[in-house]
Amino acid sequence: METTLHNSAATAEAGPVRNLGHGEDFTAHMFSARWSEQHGWHDAGLRAIEYLSLHPATVGLHYGQVAFEGLKAHRQVDGKMGVFRPLWNADRFRRSARRLAMPEIPEELFLRAVEELVVADRSCLPEDLSRSLYLRPLLFATDVSLMLRPAREYRFLLMAFVAGGFFGDDTESISVWVDDEYSRAFPGGTGDVKIAGNYAPTFVAQQRAQQADCQQVLWLDAMEHRWLEELGGMNVFLVRGRGADAEVITPELTGTLLPGATRDSILTLASRLGYAPREERISLNQLRTGCANGEISEMFACGTAAVVTPVRRICEPGGQFTVGDGPIGPVTRELCAALTGVQRGTVPDVDRWVYRIER
Ligand SMILES: *Cc1c(COP(=O)(O)O)cnc(C)c1O
């Protein structure tokens, strides 16, 4: 069955940040594997993408035993495909699975799925580097049982759609909304893993953000409602100071924010470009003051889907303020260029982040 599913491609980190490609079709194939207590991982392989047939009592639908990932394949300057840091995502996927008492996908199976799907559907990606292939791994419980216990059967799927590419320079800046009522994550919860249950509860705040003419919610910590954590599906960075002495700062990993592959890459690239990378606690108050006195000169969000997206305006129930003095700051631009350069193969891949598909 050679079905193409139409989608609204609502990735967890999408939002209207860069709607290039979001809303386009999924590619023609998917990779699928099953897990059971008796057989472990089995029945693995590539097939045409198709609708699933699920019993109404499928555990994943009721109790949310569902984890996912998001990574991208890019066309390299030499025409070959390169996947950005798949082992990093495989590792986070295993952590998410463990947190929900689900079986882990072995690294080899994850890589095999990525490689087979990218090889099968790479013709969807034009040569001009204006697009990338967004890969979405999904793991969910398939037991038919309403018992409140971890399932005994699971399914792993990998699907892909064509998404926006590298045009970092036409990036529009976004406005973010600081909500005073809802929290995304809390100590002991699941904020540090990529699981389905983290996202639906944020939609009401996202709607409120949109009413305030903002594109994303800027989440604060749940305990004091004071420390910056991240956006709905992206990590956040600030630039303190200007020029060669600038510091590139992101909230430290406290267990309530998701460690992003892009966040990790930006920290490494910042230091290579000669900026001081910092992981610190940053309060909303410090942000407000730093923006007012000019100490904080830039702010941006980053994630696989959005790449690097400048943040220009911060709105709260009581008012709003702006960061920096242009649509995209120089450090943001430089980091974005360095990242996309590695991804497309125009900048040396010192850290060996790109997994090249030689086939
Ligand atoms: C996926 C996601 C990110 C970004 O992670 P990347 O690995 O950089 O794509 C950040 N925050 C949340 C909540 C996410 O779901």
Side-chain angles (χ1 to χ4, degrees), residues 169 190 312 319 324:
D169 280 1
T190 55
R312 183 80 176 106

Side-chain angles (χ1 to χ4, degrees), residues 1 10-11 19 24 30 36 41 50 55 58 73 88 106 109 200 212 265 267 314 317 333:
M1 193 173 55
T11 77
N19 34 38
E24 293 196 357
M30 67 182 193
S36 66
W41 286 107
E50 63 188 12
H55 189 279
T58 299
W88 202 95
L109 180 59
S265 308
L267 284 170
I314 294 119
R333 187 187 295 277

Side-chain angles (χ1 to χ4, degrees), residues 32 72 97 149 159 184 196 198 201 211 223 268 310 324 329 333 338 341:
S32 165
K72 274 182 177 174
R149 58 152 198 243
M159 65 211 88
R184 192 192 84 91
N198 284 348
Q211 280 156 16
M223 306 302 282
T268 303
R333 187 187 295 277

Side-chain angles (χ1 to χ4, degrees), residues 226-245:
R226 184 170 162 208
W227 306 102
L228 304 195
E229 295 209 317
E230 60 176 325
L231 305 183
M234 291 178 271
N235 292 112
V236 68
F237 276 85
L238 303 173
V239 178
R240 189 158 57 204
R242 288 184 162 74
D245 294 330

Side-chain angles (χ1 to χ4, degrees), residues 287-337:
L287 175 64
R288 209 184 282 114
T289 314
C291 287
N293 66 21
E295 199 198 346
I296 291 170
S297 56
E298 302 176 34
M299 179 170 179
F300 63 88
C302 70
T304 298
V307 195
V308 169
T309 300
V311 178
R312 183 80 176 106
R313 200 164 56 102
I314 294 119
C315 308
E316 332 170 53
Q320 53 169 285
F321 56 98
T322 55
V323 196
D325 35 37
I328 176 165
V331 179
T332 305
R333 187 187 295 277
E334 205 183 340
L335 287 166
C336 184

